[in-house]
Amino acid sequence: GIAWFVRIHFGTGRLWLMWSVIAIRGVILLVNFAVPPNFNFATVTALRPMVILGETVSVVAQATPGRWQLLATLSVLMLIAYFLDASLTLWRQNGPVQRRRALLLGSSLLLSARLAILLTQLVIWRVVNLPMLITPPYLIAVIAMAYELGRESIRANRLSDSLSEAESRLTMAADAAQLGLWSWDSGHQRVWATDRARAIFGFQPGEQ
């Protein structure tokens, strides 16, 4: 989902790399439900309780890492490569908007993915006794995405207000000069016209 968001919002990045990541993650998801205990571990021999944020959860105490979990690591590394490729390509377009997106979103996505892979590997190889912490690192990227989308929404609203104000001024100027305005939409075969233009051509105000 994040890779697709980058593709839509950035419009850059190698498609073959994006689809490779999606395909590998899809296979991992299916295999994870078919191979006991899961894709990351070959065996889990002990669990222990841990209190996190006031809730008791079970974490792996003793386990053998699965040999195929490196495939999941490879997919995340490919995802990082895709983020980097998309960000650099967007940065080279030299526009201020493009560079802001590349810097803000690109750096947050790269940081989130790197933290996620680091924490996952530390848990799998029993360096730290914690649950799989995938969501917290990606909160960094989610916050950056929310900020960027909010900024775009505010910009779109301001642009809409500016266009409405310009249209009102143009209509007032045309009315003062007793001129009619009209335009032809060739795609939908429609004519837009002001009330004065309709009157000039003999049409009623509500007539199509």
Side-chain angles (χ1 to χ4, degrees), residues 46-50 52 57-62 126 129-132:
L47 300 174
R48 74 180 185 86
M50 174 179 287
I52 296 180
V57 299
S58 296
V59 298
V60 177
Q62 294 180 359
R126 314 309 311 135
N129 292 317
L130 290 171
M132 289 289 186

Side-chain angles (χ1 to χ4, degrees), residues 43-191:
T43 59
V44 176
T45 55
L47 300 174
R48 74 180 185 86
M50 174 179 287
V51 177
I52 296 180
L53 299 177
E55 297 291 334
T56 302
V57 299
S58 296
V59 298
V60 177
Q62 294 180 359
T64 303
R67 59 180 180 176
W68 292 107
Q69 67 90 17
L70 293 177
L71 182 61
T73 303
L74 175 62
S75 69
V76 178
L77 292 175
M78 292 174 65
L79 182 62
I80 292 174
Y82 175 71
F83 290 158
L84 184 60
D85 174 59
S87 299
L88 289 177
T89 303
L90 187 64
W91 180 270
R92 293 191 189 102
Q93 294 180 3
N94 289 326
V97 175
Q98 289 80 358
R99 290 202 165 189
R100 189 193 70 249
R101 288 179 180 174
L103 184 61
L104 177 64
L105 294 179
S107 60
S108 64
L109 288 168
L110 287 170
L111 177 61
S112 297
R114 290 165 65 182
L115 286 176
I117 192 174
L118 174 62
L119 291 174
T120 300
Q121 290 303 307
L122 290 176
V123 172
I124 291 175
W125 293 101
R126 314 309 311 135
V127 178
V128 295
N129 292 317
L130 290 171
M132 289 289 186
L133 299 175
I134 301 297
T135 303
Y138 280 102
L139 286 177
I140 300 172
V142 170
I143 292 172
M145 291 178 188
Y147 172 80
E148 181 65 19
L149 291 176
R151 183 187 178 96
E152 290 296 321
S153 178
I154 294 174
R155 180 173 175 270
N157 288 335
R158 288 177 178 174
L159 181 60
S160 177
D161 292 341
S162 298
L163 290 175
S164 298
E165 184 178 353
E167 182 180 353
S168 297
R169 290 178 178 177
L170 180 61
T171 301
M172 290 174 59
D175 289 341
Q178 296 186 348
L179 297 175
L181 302 177
W182 65 276
S183 65
W184 168 249
D185 185 353
S186 60
H188 296 87
Q189 299 294 307
R190 292 181 180 177
V191 175

